[in-house]
Amino acid sequence: MSFQVFGIAVSRGVAIGRAVLVASSRVDVAHYFVSPDEIQSEIARLLRARDAVVHELATLKDELPGDAPHELAALLDVHLMLLHDEALTGSASQWIVDRHYNAEWALSAQLEVLARQFDEMEDDYLRERKADLEQVVERVLGALAQEAGKAPPPVRPRDFGGEDPLLLVAADIAPADMIQFKRSVFRGFITDIGGKTSHTAIVARSMDIPAVVGTREASRLIMQDDWVIIDGDAGTVIVNPSPIVLEEYRFRQRQSELERARLARLRHTPAVTLDGVQVDLHANIEMPVDAESAVAAGATGVGLFRSEFLFMNRDGELPSEEEQFIAYKAAVESMKGMPVTIRTVDVGADKPLDRLTVNELRHEHVLNPAMGLRAIRWSLAEPSMFRQQLRAIYRASAYGKVRLLIPMVAHLSEVRQILETIRKVQQQLTDAGHAFTRVELGVMIEIPAAAVMLPLLLRHVDFVSIGTNDLIQYTLAIDRADEAVAHLYDPWHPAVLQLISQSIAQANAAGKGVSVCGEMAGDPDFTELLLAMGLRSFSMHPSQIPAVKQRVLRADAQRLASALPRLLESEDPRATAEKELSAARSGAAIVH
């Protein structure tokens, strides 16, 4: 019987194949008490299992093939740091000492404590790192079971025979498993959990493999060896399709493969509209190594370097100025003279940088983390840390074009404090004999107040970057993590479009640079709309650049702009956009 499962589309395209179900490897956890004489040996058993997993992951990382997505190495590093974090095994050992729990029980008890803390986090990326924590614990539990002789043998791709293409179906997929399931084995991924920033989504996009996550029930509804279609564009999974549906999707798959090949040829083609408007397509990156992927995708710069990834999972220690400088310098040099926009650390709520261990990510006393001490508010509250980061960024400017981006600005007083801190930092660098060049200053427009008062902000900064994800959330008072209201998160809402359009127009009128770095920038469905608003700089995940570039090459910016007033006045902007922008769209064929 044919049926459909719905989830979140995180990597576009169509994949067709037989389902390979990989059940969670979590073993049944035994619950028993150990005697006082057994406490130290039980702790030793826990640490042996932890060390065995550390060795396994370190070996996997060292043996990564040259063509493996660099995101895999970064995610393995996250798992290794979690394993070394005292908040996990150290606190689990304390359960053994205090409560006399056996190792498995103690580890599971500590997982529950930490999982609740992750659930309360406001930031999407941080909240979804709960899955990494669960997978680390799962592997340690597996090592404990293996020592006891109770663990099943691990599943490997070679266990699956036949010539049919294979699709992986699982509750979730750990980065280490991604390596075991070589790139050539599986044509697509389906998981029960996860979101757009989950590691499965990140790796699927980097590998350009269709994926649907957050299906909730897929691993329970789909049977081993079922024929399955992954529609990565719609976020739909079709199980045991009829011959007619199967043939239709096979045709779409062939068209998609041809389209990808065409898009790949656009890599070195300048992004210029039919009426001659130059458009910058920049990349969002998290780590210095990501800059290589940006260049390979044809990016003309880095529009957002999320520096907070340098601060995470460090057992409570801040990265030194020198360590930050080396990371920023590496990214700048990799871009070969193209601009790199570095955002100052953007971590939220009550997480001071000296409390970034898993053990300290607490929210008990914060009523609304999204509106608490986060981003620039936090940096200004930690002036020594802020100056250290600014010094590292300015030092990197001696090696290429660097721009400085400040998140979550809402007050002119914040801008004045930032400017004063920059002056102090420049003087410190001059006194120390460090070279640096002029660094353009920009602020993120992600709070409605900043959008409304933008003309005042523009007097003090060189450029602005619109963070559409948070701007939508704050404008509509919608917590994207709350499933009860997540359906109200709507980038097509008239108020959202008005704020974005006004911000772009005001920045252009003031002669200041303006870009969009949120999800809307990388979604081809919004490319023409943003061009119509006057946007000329987009920043997105490197894998999204080709599809957006194609839309730019086929667009007529002037004709699109003429349709904008009717769209902004509409009660149903999405429907009006489809009608008006389609009418304004040029039908001229592009040959590359």
Side-chain angles (χ1 to χ4, degrees), residues 426-572:
Q426 290 174 328
Q427 188 60 54
Q428 290 173 345
L429 293 175
T430 300
D431 294 344
H434 289 301
F436 64 91
T437 61
R438 182 179 183 274
V439 174
E440 292 185 354
L441 174 64
V443 295
M444 290 197 70
I445 305 301
E446 47 194 343
I447 298 176
V452 172
M453 64 178 289
L454 185 55
L456 297 178
L457 289 173
L458 289 170
R459 298 175 187 175
H460 304 277
V461 301
D462 301 300
F463 69 97
V464 295
S465 184
I466 303 172
T468 53
N469 299 0
D470 273 339
L471 183 61
I472 296 166
Q473 176 170 252
Y474 289 131
T475 300
L476 302 182
I478 297 299
D479 182 354
R480 288 173 288 162
D482 186 342
E483 293 186 358
V485 295
H487 65 284
L488 297 174
Y489 180 88
D490 181 14
W492 287 101
H493 192 286
V496 171
L497 298 185
Q498 289 283 354
L499 285 177
I500 295 174
S501 182
Q502 290 169 14
S503 298
I504 294 171
Q506 289 170 348
N508 286 337
K512 301 295 178 75
V514 55
S515 67
V516 170
C517 62
E519 287 291 327
M520 287 176 68
D523 188 339
D525 291 341
F526 288 98
T527 301
E528 291 161 328
L529 172 63
L530 293 172
L531 287 172
M533 291 178 175
L535 187 71
R536 301 296 180 257
S537 180
F538 298 64
S539 191
M540 66 204 75
H541 189 280
S543 66
Q544 297 168 318
I545 290 176
V548 172
K549 180 181 285 189
Q550 179 176 257
R551 288 293 186 105
V552 170
L553 293 172
R554 294 176 175 178
D556 185 312
Q558 187 173 354
R559 294 179 64 183
L560 290 172
S562 67
L564 184 64
R566 292 184 293 277
L567 189 151
L568 294 178
E569 294 170 359
S570 171
E571 295 182 0
D572 187 354

Side-chain angles (χ1 to χ4, degrees), residues 70-138:
H70 60 83
E71 285 88 351
L72 280 175
L75 289 167
L76 284 175
D77 283 336
V78 170
H79 282 210
L80 286 167
M81 286 187 281
L82 287 170
L83 283 164
H84 286 296
D85 198 320
E86 281 299 300
L88 184 58
T89 50
S91 296
S93 297
Q94 201 60 44
W95 285 108
I96 298 174
V97 173
D98 295 342
R99 303 285 184 86
H100 293 197
Y101 288 174
N102 66 303
E104 291 88 345
W105 189 0
L107 193 60
S108 298
Q110 185 59 16
L111 171 62
E112 292 303 317
V113 172
L114 299 177
R116 283 196 298 271
Q117 295 171 6
F118 275 98
D119 285 338
E120 294 172 351
M121 293 179 187
E122 189 66 27
D123 183 87
D124 285 347
Y125 185 88
L126 287 175
R127 188 170 54 251
E128 289 185 0
R129 298 289 66 79
K130 172 186 171 183
D132 294 288
L133 177 67
E134 290 173 335
Q135 290 168 355
V136 163
V137 170
E138 190 172 303

Side-chain angles (χ1 to χ4, degrees), residues 572-588:
D572 187 354
R574 187 196 298 265
T576 304
E578 181 61 31
K579 177 182 177 182
E580 295 289 346
L581 298 183
S582 295
R585 188 182 298 131
S586 172

Side-chain angles (χ1 to χ4, degrees), residues 86-362:
E86 281 299 300
L88 184 58
T89 50
S91 296
S93 297
Q94 201 60 44
W95 285 108
I96 298 174
V97 173
D98 295 342
R99 303 285 184 86
H100 293 197
Y101 288 174
N102 66 303
E104 291 88 345
W105 189 0
L107 193 60
S108 298
Q110 185 59 16
L111 171 62
E112 292 303 317
V113 172
L114 299 177
R116 283 196 298 271
Q117 295 171 6
F118 275 98
D119 285 338
E120 294 172 351
M121 293 179 187
E122 189 66 27
D123 183 87
D124 285 347
Y125 185 88
L126 287 175
R127 188 170 54 251
E128 289 185 0
R129 298 289 66 79
K130 172 186 171 183
D132 294 288
L133 177 67
E134 290 173 335
Q135 290 168 355
V136 163
V137 170
E138 190 172 303
R139 284 187 175 274
V140 178
L141 289 171
L144 285 166
Q146 205 162 36
E147 184 181 20
K150 298 177 182 177
V155 179
R156 295 292 182 263
R158 61 176 175 271
D159 297 332
F160 305 105
E163 298 181 358
D164 292 329
L166 303 177
L167 307 181
L168 186 61
V169 183
D172 198 11
I173 308 169
D177 290 332
M178 289 275 196
I179 297 170
Q180 299 286 3
F181 303 141
K182 301 295 186 182
R183 184 172 183 170
S184 59
V185 174
F186 293 108
R187 307 290 179 85
F189 301 126
I190 304 166
T191 63
D192 294 344
I193 65 175
K196 286 186 175 292
T197 55
S198 64
H199 54 250
T200 303
I202 292 169
V203 174
R205 283 194 293 266
S206 71
M207 295 168 66
D208 202 19
I209 291 176
V212 175
V213 303
T215 60
R216 297 192 179 185
E217 301 291 330
S219 68
R220 286 180 284 276
L221 295 174
I222 299 173
M223 304 296 289
Q224 192 81 20
D225 219 34
D226 276 348
W227 273 103
V228 175
I229 297 171
I230 298 176
D231 186 338
D233 300 306
T236 304
V237 175
I238 304 172
V239 184
N240 293 322
S242 67
I244 294 176
V245 172
L246 187 60
E247 186 54 39
E248 176 189 344
Y249 272 92
R250 279 182 170 150
F251 174 77
R252 283 183 53 184
Q253 187 179 42
R254 290 191 294 269
Q255 293 298 108
S256 178
E257 290 169 354
L258 289 172
E259 182 67 12
R260 290 186 185 193
R262 284 195 294 267
L263 290 177
R265 294 198 294 269
L266 299 179
R267 175 186 166 190
H268 299 295
T269 302
V272 181
T273 65
L274 292 175
D275 53 335
V277 175
Q278 176 73 43
V279 177
D280 290 323
L281 299 182
H282 291 173
N284 296 342
I285 67 173
E286 284 81 36
M287 301 292 286
V289 68
D290 297 344
E292 299 173 8
S293 296
V295 173
T300 53
V302 170
L304 177 63
F305 182 165
R306 298 183 176 97
S307 66
E308 53 269 19
F309 289 83
L310 300 174
F311 292 76
M312 293 178 177
N313 300 300
R314 301 179 55 87
D315 295 331
E317 295 183 3
L318 296 174
S320 66
E321 176 183 328
E322 192 65 24
E323 184 180 349
Q324 291 187 65
F325 162 66
I326 291 171
Y328 303 145
K329 175 175 174 283
V332 170
E333 289 181 330
S334 294
M335 293 309 295
K336 307 182 188 305
M338 292 181 284
V340 176
T341 303
I342 303 174
R343 184 177 69 185
T344 56
V345 62
D346 184 9
V347 282
D350 63 337
K351 301 187 296 295
L353 291 180
D354 59 353
R355 298 170 60 208
L356 274 177
T357 61
V358 177
N359 190 44
E360 298 297 337
L361 291 173
R362 298 191 178 100

